[in-house]
Amino acid sequence: MIRITENKELSSLTSFGTSATANRLIEWSSAEALADFLRGEGGNFLRNGEKWTILGHGCNTLFTEDYKGTILLSTATGMETIFRNDHYTLIRANAGEVWDNVVARCTAEGLWGAENLSAIPSSVGASAVQNIGAYGVEAKDIIERVEYLDLETLELKSIPQVECEFGYRESIFKHALSGKALITAVVYRLSSIPAPRLDYGTLRPEVESIGGELTPAKIREAVIRIRASKLPDPKVLGNAGSFFKNPILPRPQVERLKELYPEMPIYPVAGSGEHLKIATGWMIDHLGWKGRRVGRAAVHAHQALVLVNLGGATGKEVTALAEQICREVNEKFGVEISPEVNIL
Ligand code: EPU
């Protein structure tokens, strides 16, 4: 089914909850119906060079002004097991499904791989675009393939994991396929063989404090506890999770920083001995920003990487706060930080 709404108010469609209006919202619940619709007059906006974008569940998007174009939004939910053997299971989920419903199902079935990614607010489609990650695991670790509608030919296609160019919060869908591919479903590969990943931060002690047998459900519970203690619930306080990325810097630069700030947290970067990742949240915290407000926007009191809408903040108020933080981080640490959030 296709539903079109003209002049759509967007505050309920993003977790930041800032207000803005889009010229048009097109909601689609099946890839085939969308392809048919776009082949006809419904797709004129694609051919006329008008502005358009794809929205997931709006958990990583900040509107700073009215959107003078068309927004495409998937309402296609549901997931199914499409293959199972003794070693692994393939689950195919539609793009509009709630990501955490996929994790809940995998962990309830005792399948390994998704549990560290519990409670991340995201749609299935965005899990692949953004290569969502937490507690030492990224979506790329369990994605088998991504199905999409080629917006140039309007054919349904599939791309295997190895061709998705996944990196830290990066994928081909943000680069070569940006504006060309609309994700319709993602196939995840979960393992039947235990593969706990407990080495990030306080995850292991949290799991141990729960006690009992080590299962994917147990790890999910621990991750949910840790997240709830640090990250604000978007239903209560508008936010989009981490507002900034953690910069990946050349090793000598990080070593110089470490001499100046021995307590600065540093993480290895998979596949690159030459680079290290540093924690932006720590730098913002070190500058004393935690809990500080500017107008109706603020830095979250428990996690300095998260900016929040205290109620009624405009997108511009949030970006003004973000710019001030970027400037101060650069002045103090000589490091350029960039938003993780998609700012429109
Ligand atoms: N830290 C502070 N003060 C703060 C925040 C962090 O000192 O206010 C320190 C922590 O103590 C820790 C380090 O900085 O030593 C890293 O903090 P944390 O483990 O909370 O992770 P993060 O780097 O702030 C990243 C992801 C999160 C993900 C967590 C856990 C990014 C941009 N963010 O945050 O993802 O949940 O790791 O794996 O990579 C998201 O993308 O929206 C998100 C929430």
Side-chain angles (χ1 to χ4, degrees):
M1 204 192 78
I2 302 292
R3 191 166 77 172
I4 303 168
T5 312
E6 304 288 341
N7 298 318
K8 175 70 184 173
E9 214 290 312
L10 299 171
S11 57
S12 63
L13 293 185
T14 70
S15 58
F16 247 121
T18 56
S19 79
T21 301
N23 287 2
R24 188 181 306 111
L25 175 74
I26 298 176
E27 292 166 278
W28 57 276
S29 60
S30 107
E32 290 76 11
L34 179 66
D36 281 347
F37 173 77
L38 294 178
R39 274 184 207 110
E41 281 184 16
N44 280 348
F45 70 92
L46 285 178
R47 295 180 282 269
N48 293 347
E50 289 170 43
K51 191 165 145 178
W52 62 274
T53 192
I54 301 165
L55 193 63
H57 291 168
C59 305
N60 208 44
T61 300
L62 176 68
F63 284 103
T64 56
E65 58 189 10
D66 288 342
Y67 190 78
K68 304 270 179 229
T70 297
I71 293 181
L72 290 165
L73 175 68
S74 170
T75 57
T77 55
M79 68 191 109
E80 56 179 337
T81 297
I82 56 170
F83 178 82
R84 194 189 288 273
N85 68 16
D86 289 347
H87 303 286
Y88 68 93
T89 296
L90 297 181
I91 291 181
R92 179 182 178 279
N94 284 314
E97 181 59 67
V98 172
W99 160 252
D100 198 49
N101 289 347
V102 178
V103 184
R105 172 160 167 177
C106 296
T107 54
E109 291 187 15
L111 296 168
W112 294 85
E115 58 281 0
N116 291 38
L117 303 177
S118 289
I120 296 181
S122 175
S123 63
V124 160
S127 76
V129 176
Q130 183 68 0
N131 184 24
I132 56 172
Y135 306 103
V137 173
E138 290 181 329
K140 73 168 173 49
D141 302 331
I142 54 165
I143 288 176
E144 172 81 1
R145 64 173 186 271
V146 178
E147 297 175 7
Y148 67 95
L149 179 65
D150 181 325
L151 290 167
E152 288 171 344
T153 63
L154 297 177
E155 286 167 320
L156 290 166
K157 294 185 174 168
S158 171
I159 177 169
Q161 194 271 8
V162 287
E163 290 175 23
C164 290
E165 296 173 10
F166 286 124
Y168 170 54
R169 302 295 191 271
E170 290 289 0
S171 73
I172 195 168
F173 305 104
K174 286 180 154 187
H175 298 283
L177 288 183
S178 170
K180 296 184 179 141
L182 182 145
I183 295 178
T184 55
V186 180
V187 176
Y188 303 98
R189 177 197 277 247
L190 291 314
S191 174
S192 313
I193 297 150
R197 305 268 297 265
L198 301 177
D199 291 333
Y200 186 98
T202 57
L203 184 53
R204 188 183 299 277
E206 191 69 44
V207 169
E208 283 167 3
S209 77
I210 299 172
E213 196 195 339
L214 188 59
T215 61
K218 183 70 53 66
I219 297 172
R220 171 173 169 75
E221 191 185 332
V223 168
I224 289 173
R225 282 191 194 183
I226 297 172
R227 290 186 72 94
S229 72
K230 289 189 178 185
L231 298 168
D233 179 350
K235 290 191 200 86
V236 180
L237 204 52
N239 76 91
S242 303
F243 194 91
F244 303 101
K245 288 192 207 173
N246 289 326
I248 294 174
L249 303 173
R251 185 179 280 273
Q253 186 181 357
V254 176
E255 279 163 3
R256 281 195 300 277
L257 283 166
K258 192 75 183 164
E259 271 170 34
L260 292 169
Y261 308 101
E263 67 290 11
M264 177 183 261
I266 289 173
Y267 301 93
V269 175
S272 169
E274 297 307 306
H275 291 83
L276 293 164
K277 188 151 79 176
I278 63 171
T280 302
W282 182 89
M283 292 191 286
I284 299 172
D285 192 358
H286 193 80
L287 287 165
W289 271 103
K290 213 186 228 174
R292 264 174 67 189
R293 61 185 289 171
V294 174
R296 293 167 291 184
V299 176
H300 186 49
H302 304 301
Q303 225 295 10
L305 201 51
V306 178
L307 304 190
V308 296
N309 175 358
L310 295 171
T314 62
K316 287 211 163 40
E317 274 177 276
V318 178
T319 49
L321 170 62
E323 280 161 18
Q324 199 176 334
I325 292 170
C326 286
R327 262 196 313 276
E328 288 190 19
V329 167
N330 200 355
E331 279 162 18
K332 176 85 178 169
F333 299 98
V335 173
E336 293 218 1
I337 54 170
S338 57
E340 196 231 26
V341 169
N342 185 20
I343 299 170
L344 292 170

